[in-house]
Amino acid sequence: MSLDVEALRAEFAILAREAYGKPLVYLDNAASAQKPRAVIETMTRAMETSYANVHRGLHLLSNEATGAFEEARAKVARFLNAASPDEIVFTSGGTDAMNLVAYALGAGEIGAGDEIILSLMEHHSNIVPWHLLRERKGAVLKWLDVSDDGEIDLAAYEALFTERTKLVAITHMSNVLGAPTPAKALTDIAHAHGAKILFDGCQAAVHGRVDVRAIGCDFYAITGHKLYGPTGIGALYGRKDVLEALPPFRGGGEMIDAVTTEAVTYNDPPHRFEAGTPPILEAIGLGAAVDWIEATGLDAIVAHENALRDHALEELRALNFVTLYGQAPDKAPIICFNVNGAHPHDVSTILDRSGVAIRAGHHCAQPLMKRLGATATARASFAAYNTHDEIGALIEALRKTHMMLG
Amino acid sequence: MPRFDDIVADFKFLDDWDDRYKYLIDLGRALPPYPEEFRDEAHKVRGCASQVWFRAREEAENGRKTLAFDGDSDAHIVKGLIAVLFALYAGKTPEEILAVDARAALAPLDLEGHLTPQRSNGLVSMIKRINEIAAEKR
């Protein structure tokens, strides 16, 4: 099945708008994706027809809202091929998921001198929670180098393990280099050394089929807003036995079993980790986004994105004033580059005035920037609704940038 | 260095955004070379997404103690903004610098959002830094 991109674009009202009088070319999808009508309408309809707080009320609206909220959990579970919806904890996003795991593991399992392995291409959201754990508990961070293209040497990875290694926290796809990591192999090695493994899947879940059971990982974090869903919602997959052994992160309503003035007993996962009124509408919106992806066809989306990637890379390689970062053959359509002699902020400013929206900066991955020897890069990232014509607009705007700055 | 009023007049004359950016880039290129010994962390302006360095010199002029600035950035457009700011504050004493309403002065340049606080190019951070230096030297 191939993608009817024009029909698909019609589902995204925002794509019809202009930027500075020019057609909008939105190539900042790795930062956040636009939302299809199905997501917007599902959230609006929920507010207009079936909204109340979840789980608590014994009335019709609460029952309907609870049903929709838990159905969204089941959709996310199916999307990641989790064994059960009970393995899906709703979070406010990927960052929140990583913080949840860091805090909960730091409450007992990880202590002074225990080691956590991270790669050099992590997003800050999968670095800073572990630095906080280092500061709070004296945990030791060990860093796995990556190649210029974001590839991992499994022997070098395995060499980092000691009897103190408790966790590997690693991306399933670099938000800078676009390179996927070999999740199954990384997991098998971690488990062989008695360590748990968490994947930051915020990018990977957008650009390919994730099967947490095939990977066998302990934790897998995703965020909604990059998956064509709303902001303020993400999910943490945790294998049933792992979640059951994990202490709560935050205290409040919903996560309790019983509270007295002397003590509290906690609810079972996943609700143990969802203190307070959850982002009900956002969860329902994420469920609608997952439905939209499945209905559109993830395989067709990926095939289209890969064609865009190949086309964009070919055009960019032909520009003799552009330096590319990350060219792994199986990379996602996340393309970092610099215009020689120009700062990426110059590039993004001039592209912006040409109607082309890209990201410029360190992409919340400063250790990787240092590893690549760059202070910042420009990044063009593609989604299901991008077109080959838009690559033409990007290239034309880059030529103009080069003329103005060169 | 061009006078600030001339920059404002030139900007008004330029209709197209790309001509304005080209002009801004040229202003940045015309800045005197930044002294390498001050290209360090202590002279970095915090809050800019690109790298920006400032150094202030005290100059005596007819019994007035004025401040002169050197500056640099690794981004061309930001360097142009630096040149605009230096023109705005040229020949002023610390007290005079502190009295400048930079936002109002820069409004005629219509820098399209460059002045919003959250904008990452750091124009607001650079103005803040110049004011901090002026307050120290007062």
Side-chain angles (χ1 to χ4, degrees):
Chain A
M1 188 178 82
S2 81
L3 222 51
D4 180 349
V5 179
E6 282 313 311
L8 188 146
R9 285 179 72 82
E11 298 181 58
F12 293 80
I14 198 169
L15 297 177
R17 70 160 285 175
E18 295 186 330
Y20 308 104
K22 300 183 179 68
L24 170 70
V25 176
Y26 186 76
L27 301 180
D28 194 17
N29 295 288
S32 204
Q34 302 298 341
K35 324 303 174 199
R37 188 174 300 126
V39 169
I40 297 165
E41 285 181 352
T42 299
M43 293 175 74
T44 306
R45 198 163 52 246
M47 277 185 279
E48 289 179 346
T49 65
S50 298
Y51 180 76
N53 209 331
V54 291
H55 298 135
R56 296 169 178 79
L58 292 172
H59 54 77
L60 179 66
L61 291 189
S62 179
N63 287 339
E64 287 181 5
T66 303
F69 180 73
E70 291 301 329
E71 179 55 27
R73 193 191 305 278
K75 287 172 183 177
V76 173
R78 284 196 293 274
F79 185 65
L80 298 176
N81 198 30
S84 145
D86 293 343
E87 295 181 325
I88 302 298
V89 178
F90 280 129
T91 63
S92 73
T95 299
D96 190 37
M98 257 74 85
N99 277 280
L100 189 165
V101 175
Y103 192 92
L105 288 180
E109 200 164 328
I110 297 180
D114 288 335
E115 295 170 2
I116 301 164
I117 295 174
L118 310 172
S119 90
L120 276 181
M121 60 180 175
E122 298 311 310
H123 188 284
H124 293 167
S125 63
N126 196 27
I127 296 176
V128 183
W130 311 113
H131 266 308
L132 288 172
L133 192 53
R134 178 185 60 73
E135 291 174 355
R136 206 165 59 236
K137 294 282 171 183
V140 177
L141 307 187
K142 300 186 84 173
W143 296 90
L144 172 64
D145 197 8
V146 297
S147 77
D148 288 350
D149 290 328
E151 287 154 336
I152 284 167
D153 176 347
L154 288 175
Y157 166 69
E158 183 149 29
L160 289 173
F161 285 84
T162 73
E163 67 278 7
R164 299 301 303 267
T165 307
K166 289 289 168 70
L167 180 76
V168 178
I170 192 166
T171 186
H172 193 194
M173 178 179 286
S174 164
N175 69 312
V176 173
L177 300 168
T181 56
K184 174 84 170 75
L186 292 169
T187 300
D188 289 347
I189 291 170
H191 286 170
H193 290 271
K196 289 192 169 72
I197 187 163
L198 170 146
F199 285 98
D200 169 0
C202 290
Q203 299 293 345
V206 183
H207 301 294
R209 177 66 63 189
V210 172
D211 184 336
V212 289
R213 271 190 284 179
I215 295 169
C217 57
D218 301 276
F219 300 105
Y220 196 98
I222 64 168
T223 192
H225 69 95
K226 295 185 202 293
L227 269 172
Y228 309 98
T231 54
I233 187 75
L236 173 71
Y237 159 82
R239 212 178 50 246
K240 192 165 191 288
D241 58 307
V242 176
L243 282 188
E244 280 175 349
L246 207 63
F249 169 35
R250 275 186 286 257
E254 194 64 45
M255 50 78 72
I256 52 92
D257 171 38
V259 179
T260 66
T261 50
E262 289 77 32
V264 52
T265 53
Y266 303 112
N267 203 339
D268 291 331
H271 300 107
R272 182 190 299 166
F273 305 102
E274 296 176 358
T277 295
I280 300 164
L281 294 162
E282 289 75 8
I284 292 169
L286 175 56
V290 165
D291 277 348
W292 180 84
I293 291 170
E294 298 293 12
T296 305
L298 183 56
D299 292 345
I301 291 173
V302 171
H304 173 62
E305 288 180 345
N306 287 346
L308 291 171
R309 170 202 63 198
D310 292 344
H311 180 190
L313 283 173
E314 185 189 327
E315 296 274 353
L316 287 165
R317 283 192 195 106
L319 299 178
N320 60 7
F321 53 85
V322 164
T323 302
L324 287 166
Y325 298 90
Q327 301 195 58
D330 53 350
K331 71 177 272 166
I334 298 171
I335 301 175
C336 274
F337 62 93
N338 270 323
V339 170
N340 301 340
H343 193 279
H345 286 110
D346 294 323
V347 176
S348 70
T349 301
I350 294 169
L351 258 55
D352 178 48
R353 292 305 308 240
S354 309
V356 181
I358 61 158
R359 175 78 176 266
H362 52 60
H363 314 294
C364 299
Q366 286 177 351
L368 178 60
M369 287 290 126
K370 189 172 175 214
R371 163 69 183 76
L372 296 172
T375 55
T377 77
R379 181 182 71 187
S381 51
F382 297 83
Y385 42 69
N386 287 122
T387 67
H388 289 273
D389 286 348
E390 289 180 317
I391 293 171
L394 167 70
I395 298 298
E396 194 186 326
L398 282 174
R399 285 186 192 282
K400 178 170 194 150
T401 305
H402 176 59
M403 245 166 48
M404 285 176 69
L405 297 168
Chain B
M1 180 154 52
R3 291 173 51 242
F4 183 71
D5 291 346
D6 293 337
I7 294 176
V8 173
D10 288 345
F11 247 77
K12 282 186 176 153
F13 176 73
L14 298 168
D15 289 333
D16 292 342
W17 69 267
D18 49 344
D19 288 335
R20 288 184 170 191
Y21 276 118
K22 273 184 212 158
Y23 178 73
L24 209 50
I25 291 162
D26 286 342
L27 283 179
R29 286 189 171 145
L31 275 177
Y34 185 75
E36 287 305 317
E37 64 267 37
F38 301 115
R39 195 184 297 280
D40 56 16
E41 282 302 314
H43 292 84
K44 232 176 195 176
V45 180
R46 296 176 64 88
C48 305
S50 53
Q51 301 188 84
V52 175
W53 298 269
F54 278 179
R55 183 196 56 143
R57 283 172 283 122
E58 289 174 320
E59 290 186 344
E61 195 181 293
N62 305 327
R64 298 166 78 240
K65 190 185 75 174
T66 61
L67 288 182
F69 293 93
D70 293 305
D72 199 6
S73 171
D74 53 354
H76 293 278
I77 293 168
V78 173
K79 203 168 165 184
L81 295 173
I82 293 171
V84 171
L85 284 183
F86 288 0
L88 174 64
Y89 292 111
K92 288 189 163 50
T93 65
E95 287 78 8
E96 287 166 346
I97 287 173
L98 291 168
V100 170
D101 181 347
R103 186 170 288 246
L106 295 167
L109 295 177
D110 188 23
L111 289 166
E112 298 281 357
H114 282 282
L115 278 170
T116 54
Q118 66 274 28
R119 182 87 187 188
S120 59
N121 66 48
L123 189 53
V124 170
S125 300
M126 293 193 282
I127 293 168
K128 190 170 158 231
R129 183 70 196 124
I130 288 173
N131 277 276
E132 283 169 5
I133 293 169
E136 286 164 20
K137 304 275 187 189
R138 186 162 45 176

